[in-house]
Amino acid sequence: MSRVFNFSAGPAMVPESVLQQASEEMLDWHGSGISVMEMSHRGKEFMSIATKAECDLRDLLDIPDNYKVLFLQGGASAQFAMVPLNLLRGQKKADYVNTGQWSKKAIAEAKRFCNVNVVASSEESKFTSIPDQDDWQIDSNAAYFHYTPNETIGGVEFHWIPETGKVPLVADMSSTLLSRPLDVSRYGVIYAGAQKNIGPAGLTVVIVREDLIGEVLPGMPTMFDYKTMADNDSMYNTPPTYSWYLAGLVFDWLKQRDGLEGMATINKRKANKLYAQIDDSDFYQNPVDLSCRSWMNIPFTLADPELDSKFLELAKEAGLFSLKGHRSVGGMRASIYNAMPEEGVNALVSFMSDFEQHNG
Ligand SMILES: *Cc1c(COP(=O)(O)O)cnc(C)c1O
C-alpha cells in the first residue's frame, strides 16, 4: 500500500490515523458485532457516537450554549437556500459581499427568495482581494449578512470578522472551519460541507443561534426548517450516520493535537512555506493580495502555461496528486487542509524548486 499527498480541494484528505481506526472498526464497532454503517440511528450505540461528536465539536470551537449544532445533508449548496428560507423571518432584504465563485452562487440562490443587496464586490479585480469594509454599503435593516470567509477557488481568505452590528452574520465556512480558533458568538449561522476540512462528503455541519430558529417562509419544506432538525437532534429522518461517525473521529484527532490553536500554528506554517516558494521565484505566481491569502487553498500559475501538463504529470509521479487548478482560474491549486501533513507541503515545495531548476 502506498498513500500519496492529495491536494484536492474536496473531497480532500482525511487524517491517516482516522482512516486506520475506521478500517479497524469497519466490521465490528466496539464489540457490537456490526459496522457503524449498519446501526440504527436511534440505537444506543449510534446515539453515543453522535453525542460524542457533537460534544467534541462544541469543545473544539467553544460553542456557546445558546447555539444548536445540526448534522445535515445537502451540502453547503443546500444552505444557500436554507439560510434565506430560515433567516428572512418575514423580511425581504439580505446583505451579501461578493468575494468569489462561492459568494456568487450563494447570492444567485438567495435572489430566488429576497432582494439581495451586494454590499461590495471584488469581481473587477478577478477576485484577488477583499473590498475594504469602510466602503461597504451595509443595510442596517437587512435580515442577515452573508459572507464566504474562505473562497476555495480563488484562494482568498478573510483574516478578520466583518462588523455588522445587530444584523446576524452568516458564514459559509466550508473550506476553513476548524483550521484555527473561532469566536462563534460573533455569528448567527455558520455552515460547512464536511468534505473539505471535516471528513467525508454527505454531511453538512450547521451552527445556528437559537433565537434565529423557528420563523420560516410559508410553504417551507419540513426538511429544510432548522427547527425540525434542532427539535429532533438532527434525527427527524435518517442522518448521514457513517459520515457523522467519521467526522467524530476527526474531531477526536483534533483534540489529541492541541485543538485548534495547535492546528492554526501548523496551518500558518504550511501556508507560509508554500507562499515563500511561490514569491521567491519569477517562475511561480499567486495573484492574491498579501492581506487575504488563504491558508487552505493556494492557487498558483507557472510563468509558461505550456508547462502545466508536464508539471502535473511529474508531480503525480512524485506522489503529489490533484494539483490542477480550477478551470475558472487555471494553473495549479494546492489545497492544504488540516489533514495534509507538513511533509506533504515540504514535498511539494521541493518538487516545485526542482521543476523550476529544470524548466525555468
Ligand atoms: C465546496 C464548497 C461549497 C459547495 O459545497 P457542497 O457541499 O458541494 O454543496 C460551497 N462553499 C464553499 C466555500 C465551498 O468550498
Side-chain angles (χ1 to χ4, degrees):
M1 187 198 72
S2 83
R3 300 222 351 125
V4 302
F5 294 118
N6 174 12
F7 294 88
S8 168
M13 282 184 89
V14 173
E16 193 168 306
S17 62
V18 166
L19 295 176
Q20 203 73 52
Q21 186 179 347
S23 140
E24 281 156 20
E25 296 175 348
M26 175 62 80
L27 298 181
D28 173 10
W29 182 83
H30 294 201
S32 65
I34 55 174
S35 172
V36 173
M37 216 178 295
E38 303 168 306
M39 283 175 186
S40 163
H41 55 293
R42 303 196 192 280
K44 71 174 187 328
E45 289 90 353
F46 187 75
M47 291 300 267
S48 75
I49 291 171
T51 308
K52 179 173 185 327
E54 177 175 341
C55 284
D56 285 347
L57 182 63
R58 284 186 173 276
D59 234 29
L60 281 166
L61 283 167
D62 202 6
I63 300 174
D65 289 344
N66 62 326
Y67 284 74
K68 293 284 188 193
V69 177
L70 309 178
F71 292 84
L72 309 181
Q73 304 187 51
S77 302
Q79 294 307 310
F80 292 167
M82 280 178 74
V83 164
L85 285 167
N86 283 277
L87 292 204
L88 282 169
R89 294 161 294 144
Q91 299 160 82
K92 295 194 164 50
K93 299 183 294 187
D95 277 357
Y96 281 71
V97 60
N98 181 14
T99 52
Q101 304 297 340
W102 289 116
S103 298
K104 273 177 84 164
K105 283 211 164 164
I107 289 167
E109 188 70 3
K111 280 184 174 165
R112 296 159 53 93
F113 307 105
C114 64
N115 299 319
V116 171
N117 170 38
V118 178
V119 303
S121 169
S122 55
E123 189 151 19
E124 277 192 4
S125 79
K126 296 207 169 120
F127 296 128
T128 55
S129 61
I130 291 172
D132 194 341
Q133 183 165 3
D134 292 343
D135 303 329
W136 295 5
Q137 310 293 319
I138 289 189
D139 180 349
S140 55
N141 292 314
Y144 63 90
F145 180 101
H146 180 282
Y147 81 120
T148 311
N150 186 65
E151 288 280 0
T152 319
I153 293 172
V156 169
E157 184 158 18
F158 283 74
H159 297 286
W160 46 280
I161 301 179
E163 192 50 70
T164 56
K166 285 200 160 40
V167 178
L169 185 58
V170 177
D172 172 3
M173 295 211 180
S174 294
S175 50
T176 182
L177 190 65
L178 300 177
S179 67
R180 63 178 88 187
L182 180 70
D183 182 358
V184 173
S185 72
R186 297 280 299 275
Y187 292 87
V189 177
I190 291 166
Y191 62 89
Q195 69 275 20
K196 313 287 168 59
N197 209 21
I198 297 177
L203 171 71
T204 315
V205 173
V206 178
I207 302 167
V208 51
R209 213 175 65 211
E210 276 168 0
D211 62 286
L212 297 171
I213 298 176
E215 199 184 322
V216 298
L217 291 187
M220 176 74 151
T222 311
M223 281 292 295
F224 296 168
D225 187 343
Y226 288 151
K227 187 167 175 13
T228 310
M229 291 305 173
D231 288 351
N232 290 280
D233 296 325
S234 307
M235 296 205 195
Y236 173 76
N237 72 326
T238 317
T241 50
Y242 199 77
S243 298
W244 191 333
Y245 153 73
L246 260 178
L249 296 186
V250 172
F251 301 153
D252 208 39
W253 175 81
L254 285 167
K255 287 186 73 173
Q256 289 164 23
R257 311 188 54 172
D258 295 339
L260 302 188
E261 296 280 354
M263 224 55 242
T265 308
I266 299 169
N267 285 331
K268 190 173 184 189
R269 197 165 64 220
K270 276 156 52 183
N272 283 344
K273 271 187 195 171
L274 189 44
Y275 285 119
Q277 174 63 32
I278 294 167
D279 292 343
D280 290 349
S281 97
D282 295 329
F283 189 77
Y284 300 108
Q285 249 106 48
N286 168 287
V288 178
D289 261 23
L290 295 186
S291 63
C292 55
R293 283 173 154 187
S294 171
W295 289 5
M296 297 279 105
N297 311 95
I298 304 184
F300 60 93
T301 51
L302 311 190
D304 177 5
E306 297 271 302
L307 289 169
D308 283 4
S309 54
K310 184 176 180 189
F311 181 94
L312 288 166
E313 208 173 296
L314 293 179
K316 195 163 181 194
E317 278 173 26
L320 309 169
F321 277 40
S322 302
L323 283 161
K324 192 172 166 50
H326 190 269
R327 59 191 180 280
S328 67
V329 178
M332 313 298 154
R333 172 176 49 171
S335 294
I336 51 172
Y337 302 116
N338 289 347
M340 170 62 68
E342 194 156 358
E343 303 87 75
V345 174
N346 294 343
L348 174 59
V349 163
S350 102
F351 172 81
M352 287 168 72
S353 165
D354 282 355
F355 188 85
E356 179 179 358
Q357 254 167 36
H358 291 104
N359 299 278

